[in-house]
Amino acid sequence: MTIRLKKLSSQVVVITGATSGIGLTTARMAAGKDAKLVLAARDSDALDKLAAELRAGGREALAVPTDVGLQEEVQALGRAAIKRFGRIDSWINNAGVSIFGRYRDVPLEDQHKLFQTNFWGVVHGSLTAMELMGENGGAIINLGSELSERAVPLQGMYSASKHAVKGFTDSLRMEVEKDGLPISVTLIKPAAIDTMFVPHARNYMKNEPELPAPLYAPEVVAEAILYAAEHQQRDIFVGGAAKMVSMEGHGVPRVLDKVMNLMMFRQQRKDQPSAPDRSDALYQPNGLELRQRQGGHENPVLERSAYTYLTTRGKPLALSLLVGGALLAAWKMSAPQAAPATHDA
């Protein structure tokens, strides 16, 4: 099986959740690279405005209102892409939403709805893309999270949905490889990102929710997504913080339980009370579309990730650093040891 992914300038790219945050940033960035775009979201007005914006810049864009939780609508999205452009080269399953609150406070109906979007939306999109790409191949890119690797309190069902996305994506990749299909299957695992994630989330806490530091810019995720559209990748952690959470979760899970109990209940809540008429996007768009970032965080937002760069575009440099570090460590271990110096910790 040989996978040959095209340059973005020659690609037809489907993006779900395209009118906000990571999806919106990815759509605009892909348009800047001359990709042909098929844009999907629930808000038809926002989709039309985005498509018009991109067309005004000389790009080709098709808007297809879609609820990814409904299989028939996702299949219709795929058919619309084929009818307009004749093929699909990359399919990005990005749509998602969260809920803040303890399990005992969140109605099961809401938890089911979150899973319908976050997990089943990825399943519907991936299976539709695999069927339509067929022997021509392409890239399926699914948005997981650092919480695909490690759950947190107060976003329990969101964590569970991202664990499920990882399990589905990993098993789908094996089946694709077994069948010899020329399709790259990638899982993107971002750290906390400065998007409209919090304003779109449903809240069952007394205070307004917040994302703990460190936060990264959505452009960092979009760059990783579009890199995966051109280069076969198994998975990409976006932000060194995401990789660190994964390593700690696997290496010292019980210690991390204790740390999160000490910190995450406080760090995911602002001081301000949650408004009684607060809107969210769990069941329908809440009028906050076409915004890439939330802003207004107490902590700074990181515009770049050296870790993500080194593990994707900077592989030769990363390898050199790793080899150099290993040689230095070996030299230190073999060199005569001097008497230890004393210092204050």
Side-chain angles (χ1 to χ4, degrees):
M1 175 185 63
T2 301
I3 297 175
R4 295 186 176 90
L5 302 178
K6 303 173 184 176
K7 292 294 184 182
L8 279 164
S9 57
S10 300
Q11 284 202 27
V12 175
V13 180
V14 176
I15 304 175
T16 69
T19 56
S20 179
I22 292 170
L24 177 58
T25 306
T26 303
R28 286 172 171 161
M29 194 175 290
K33 296 178 179 291
D34 294 327
K36 297 177 176 63
L37 297 174
V38 182
L39 308 168
R42 292 174 299 176
D43 191 329
S44 58
D45 290 339
L47 272 179
D48 288 340
K49 289 178 182 177
L50 176 58
E53 169 197 319
L54 300 181
R55 291 185 197 120
R59 314 305 179 191
E60 293 188 63
L62 173 66
V64 185
T66 307
D67 183 340
V68 298
L70 302 175
Q71 183 182 22
E72 60 273 18
E73 292 197 13
V74 177
Q75 291 173 334
L77 168 64
R79 291 194 297 270
I82 296 296
K83 181 178 180 180
R84 172 68 177 272
F85 296 112
R87 69 182 193 281
I88 297 169
D89 300 300
S90 289
W91 186 300
I92 301 165
N93 289 304
N94 164 74
V97 69
S98 191
I99 299 173
F100 286 83
R102 295 172 182 256
Y103 282 120
R104 67 190 184 197
D105 298 326
V106 180
L108 279 177
E109 179 184 5
D110 287 358
Q111 298 185 44
H112 289 163
K113 180 60 177 177
L114 180 149
F115 233 84
Q116 196 68 24
T117 299
N118 291 11
F119 174 69
W120 286 106
V122 169
V123 173
H124 297 156
S126 297
L127 297 182
T128 298
M130 184 172 64
E131 178 183 354
L132 295 176
M133 287 176 178
E135 299 300 324
N136 293 325
I140 297 173
I141 302 167
N142 294 338
L143 264 291
S145 167
E146 62 183 350
L147 303 188
S148 297
E149 303 282 338
R150 168 68 209 195
V152 296
L154 299 180
Q155 288 192 79
M157 193 52 65
Y158 179 82
S159 299
S161 72
K162 293 303 182 177
H163 273 61
V165 166
K166 180 183 185 300
F168 168 75
T169 303
D170 289 348
S171 57
L172 176 68
R173 184 186 302 109
M174 288 185 283
E175 291 191 11
V176 165
E177 290 176 350
K178 183 66 174 178
D179 291 341
L181 299 176
I183 297 174
S184 173
V185 180
T186 302
L187 181 65
I188 306 291
K189 294 180 279 191
I193 307 297
D194 177 28
T195 65
M196 301 303 291
F197 181 90
V198 169
H200 285 326
R202 179 154 289 197
N203 184 34
Y204 284 94
M205 302 187 300
K206 292 181 180 179
N207 288 31
E208 186 66 17
E210 175 64 299
L211 292 177
L215 275 73
Y216 294 83
E219 288 80 3
V220 183
V221 191
E223 287 173 358
I225 291 170
L226 296 182
Y227 183 85
E230 293 183 325
H231 305 86
Q232 183 180 4
Q233 299 284 294
R234 186 182 191 279
D235 50 30
I236 301 176
F237 285 96
V238 180
K243 180 62 175 179
M244 184 62 69
V245 166
S246 174
M247 292 173 62
E248 291 172 346
H250 288 282
V252 286
R254 198 68 188 103
V255 172
L256 198 54
D257 287 346
K258 301 293 186 181
V259 171
M260 287 197 171
N261 267 334
L262 286 172
M263 300 175 61
M264 293 302 289
F265 285 89
R266 173 175 49 84
Q267 291 183 347
Q268 292 186 93
R269 291 196 299 250
K270 290 185 177 180
D271 292 334
Q272 70 186 77
S274 184
D277 58 348
R278 185 185 191 276
S279 64
D280 61 69
L282 182 61
Y283 289 94
Q284 60 186 11
N286 63 348
L288 298 176
E289 307 302 303
L290 295 187
R291 300 186 189 183
Q292 293 179 209
R293 300 196 187 194
Q294 176 188 348
H297 298 284
E298 295 179 359
N299 300 301
V301 175
L302 303 176
E303 300 294 331
R304 293 177 177 81
S305 168
Y307 172 83
T308 302
Y309 182 86
L310 288 173
T311 53
T312 53
R313 298 160 183 79
K315 281 182 179 178
L317 176 59
L319 182 59
S320 298
L321 292 173
L322 290 172
V323 171
L327 290 174
L328 179 61
W331 175 79
K332 284 188 173 183
M333 290 178 65
S334 61
Q337 298 296 309
T342 60
H343 60 83
D344 293 332

